[in-house]
Amino acid sequence: MQFVIAFTLAIALMAADYYGQLMGSFRSLLLTTINPIERVATLPKHLYQLATTDFTNIDALKLENQQLKTELLLVKAKQQRFSNLQLEVSRLEALLGTAGQINTQSLQIATVTYYSNNPLSQYLTLDKGQLKKVSVQQTVIDAKGIMGQIIRTTPTSSRVLLITDPDHQIPVRIQRTGQRGILSGTGHDTTQLEFIPKNSLVEVGDLIESSGLGGVFPAGYPVAIITNVENKEGSPYFDITATPVADLYQSHKVLILSQATPYLNFDEKLPETPKEKPLELIPSTLGQTHVP
Amino acid sequence: MSHKLFNLKTSQARWVILVSYIVALALDTIALFGHSTPVIPPLTLFFLLYWCANFLDRTHLFSAFILGLLADTLYQTPLGAHALLFSIITFLMIRHRLRFKGYPVWQQAFFICLYMLLYQGLNFLFFNPILNSDDFVQYWTMPALSLFLWPLLAYSLRKFSHTAVNG
């Protein structure tokens, strides 16, 4: 009898979790329970790091400090250029009368406390949670590109599903051509670019960036680099393998981005934009447009 | 020594069992940490089967269910999937645990190997992991490894529970 109850309950839970996503808070509760165990599991590694850090040569630390200072200088220079570009884009947009496309997103720095990399699940655990206003579906990046998105949160931690996880998909575009597709995880540190038709221009080495479609991931962040393109007979699409640009398992500090541009609420009134005269079509010169 | 332990009731060794489950979960978490390999068997299930075979006054299905849910959280699988797997394996153990208890350890290990093979088979059906050639070999080697791990675990747990309960 107990087995029948356990069996039925397990099936019901699976259905509720898989189809309805109804078990979010229950899963968060379980995650909170398992959090201390995760911390204990990482203790040997932390102790090892602590022990090895103590024996690090002071010269090596000085060298690292120098390198970091140089890097900071370069980043600051790039930042200045970026600010100028941002201003210029805003000015051009104002001239064209279009809405601004650049979103300024708030960032939070978090530390990776645990990571798993096996064929079933590829995820990270971060040390920031609901208390720091981290919420589900926020994008996580490192210095090189997108790592994944937050799927569960507890008061003091959050779990990030990596882009290489078999359950993860992200809408992307090839930076060089603008061709859109879906990047799926394979479970083996690589990703697969899907739905790229065979008449597209794709090359090994092309950079894939987030397209922003779907409203979850912000647009324009690097995601992966194409490493292999196969033309399989009988399929209308290329078989494309890509390697993530982010250091998924080496990054210790990561950035949590605030939500990307939210979906438009269609009940909400859109802000009024200055009315422009519509394009006039001159019947005598059909096919030509005249801009007044 | 073993006779003394086997006559115990679950309520007398509740804390020992609870601590062993926490340790098993921590070991599973360590095994999953970083670049883990699918060759390491789920130690939580190992511990569960050991207690199920040695404490006959309970079915241990509740423990199986809760540990399964925690395993689902750990492995990031649909909630209830590991709970179902753990419940099925525990149920099979309950069906023949009286005979299992009477077997010598090497024979027990053989049965544990069969249970782990069933676990891996169901795991494969449920989650359909994408395995490359190396992972594929390691994945199906796990039951064989459990054959060698069981005597070690049985001896350690017997020693530990005897010390903890009888002092």
Side-chain angles (χ1 to χ4, degrees):
Chain A
M1 186 62 190
Q2 277 188 19
F3 175 67
V4 175
I5 293 169
F7 190 88
T8 317
L9 204 60
I11 298 281
L13 272 174
M14 275 168 74
D17 190 42
Y18 191 78
Y19 293 108
Q21 303 286 321
L22 301 170
M23 308 306 294
S25 49
F26 183 51
R27 207 183 248 277
S28 292
L29 181 76
L30 288 169
L31 200 58
T32 313
T33 315
I34 215 134
N35 247 342
I37 296 171
E38 271 185 4
R39 278 169 206 241
V40 169
T42 52
L43 212 62
K45 195 190 172 192
H46 288 154
L47 286 173
Y48 172 76
Q49 278 175 344
L50 201 72
T52 48
T53 311
D54 284 346
F55 294 110
T56 308
N57 201 334
I58 289 185
D59 288 341
L61 281 174
K62 275 183 182 170
L63 190 71
E64 194 186 349
N65 191 27
Q66 194 63 43
Q67 279 174 346
L68 288 172
K69 275 182 179 170
T70 317
E71 209 169 301
L72 183 69
L73 209 65
L74 287 170
V75 170
K76 273 186 177 173
K78 271 187 185 173
Q79 177 69 34
Q80 281 173 18
R81 214 173 127 236
F82 177 74
S83 303
N84 286 336
L85 284 171
Q86 203 173 347
L87 274 172
E88 201 167 334
V89 168
S90 305
R91 257 185 252 126
L92 287 169
E93 274 169 355
L95 279 172
L96 288 168
T98 56
Q101 294 295 309
I102 292 179
N103 303 305
T104 46
Q105 285 169 323
S106 61
L107 304 166
Q108 264 193 85
I109 298 176
T111 308
V112 178
T113 55
Y114 182 83
Y115 74 93
S116 160
N117 173 23
N118 73 357
L120 266 185
S121 57
Q122 308 215 322
Y123 63 84
L124 303 174
T125 305
L126 306 180
D127 68 339
K128 294 241 165 41
Q130 290 157 359
L131 292 175
K132 298 279 180 186
K133 292 182 180 169
V134 175
S135 60
V136 171
Q137 288 195 336
Q138 277 186 279
T139 305
V140 176
I141 62 167
D142 74 350
K144 292 179 181 172
I146 290 180
M147 300 177 87
Q149 63 170 309
I150 289 173
I151 50 160
R152 303 269 170 236
T153 53
T154 71
T156 55
S157 72
S158 49
R159 190 171 274 190
V160 182
L161 193 69
L162 293 174
I163 54 169
T164 49
D165 187 281
D167 288 336
H168 196 278
Q169 275 98 31
I170 170 173
V172 290
R173 63 179 174 229
I174 298 170
Q175 198 186 48
R176 190 172 55 88
T177 60
Q179 177 71 47
R180 283 192 285 268
I182 299 285
L183 195 75
S184 310
T186 61
H188 290 283
D189 302 345
T190 56
T191 54
Q192 210 160 8
L193 183 59
E194 289 166 349
F195 309 118
I196 301 294
K198 284 187 175 170
N199 57 2
S200 312
L201 291 167
V202 189
E203 283 174 16
V204 171
D206 275 350
L207 183 71
I208 300 167
E209 62 179 21
S210 53
S211 68
L213 293 179
V216 175
F217 291 95
Y221 281 88
V223 185
I225 287 177
I226 294 175
T227 50
N228 188 35
V229 181
E230 270 184 60
N231 189 352
K232 280 191 179 168
E233 275 184 34
S235 167
Y237 303 113
F238 280 121
D239 200 359
I240 301 170
T241 310
T243 309
V245 289
D247 290 327
L248 298 181
Y249 305 109
Q250 282 87 44
S251 296
H252 184 55
K253 297 275 182 195
V254 296
L255 294 171
I256 305 171
L257 300 183
S258 63
Q259 291 287 23
T261 320
Y263 284 116
L264 280 176
N265 183 359
F266 291 105
D267 296 332
E268 222 173 83
K269 245 185 151 182
L270 287 170
E272 281 191 16
T273 47
K275 279 185 183 174
E276 288 173 39
K277 280 186 184 173
L279 299 178
E280 282 176 11
L281 214 73
I282 303 165
S284 58
T285 54
L286 228 98
Q288 291 177 17
T289 52
H290 170 68
V291 184
Chain B
M1 178 187 85
S2 58
H3 183 72
K4 224 175 173 182
L5 172 69
F6 290 165
N7 285 337
L8 283 173
K9 284 191 172 179
T10 311
S11 55
Q12 288 173 278
R14 187 171 288 150
W15 287 107
V16 177
I17 294 173
L18 197 66
V19 167
S20 76
Y21 285 153
I22 293 169
V23 170
L25 273 169
L27 290 173
D28 275 345
T29 314
I30 291 171
L32 196 67
F33 184 43
H35 297 268
S36 57
T37 56
V39 75
I40 301 164
L43 291 171
T44 317
L45 185 61
F46 255 58
F47 280 49
L48 178 70
L49 290 178
Y50 179 82
W51 296 126
C52 183
N54 287 300
F55 288 91
L56 307 178
D57 59 326
R58 298 277 167 90
T59 60
H60 298 269
L61 277 168
F62 180 73
S63 306
F65 192 80
I66 298 295
L67 289 172
L69 287 180
L70 291 172
D72 282 325
T73 314
L74 186 65
Y75 297 113
Q76 195 59 45
T77 47
L79 214 57
H82 273 92
L84 185 64
L85 284 180
F86 280 27
S87 301
I88 290 171
I89 305 286
T90 310
F91 178 71
L92 291 175
M93 173 57 96
I94 294 166
R95 298 287 292 175
H96 95 295
R97 60 181 170 180
L98 277 172
R99 267 177 291 167
F100 181 88
K101 216 176 95 170
Y103 294 148
V105 176
W106 67 266
Q107 206 172 339
Q108 285 183 355
F110 177 74
F111 276 97
I112 290 296
C113 176
L114 289 180
Y115 283 138
M116 288 300 139
L117 194 64
L118 178 69
Y119 172 82
Q120 280 300 72
L122 289 173
N123 211 22
F124 194 80
L125 279 176
F126 272 41
F127 309 121
N128 196 18
I130 305 161
L131 303 168
N132 58 28
S133 54
D134 281 352
D135 283 342
F136 188 82
V137 174
Q138 285 184 8
Y139 189 84
W140 292 110
T141 310
M142 185 275 265
L145 185 72
S146 59
L147 189 76
F148 300 103
L149 206 64
W150 179 259
L152 194 73
L153 187 91
Y155 176 77
S156 312
L157 278 180
R158 184 173 294 179
K159 196 94 175 154
F160 168 66
S161 47
H162 177 73
T163 315
V165 177
N166 299 325

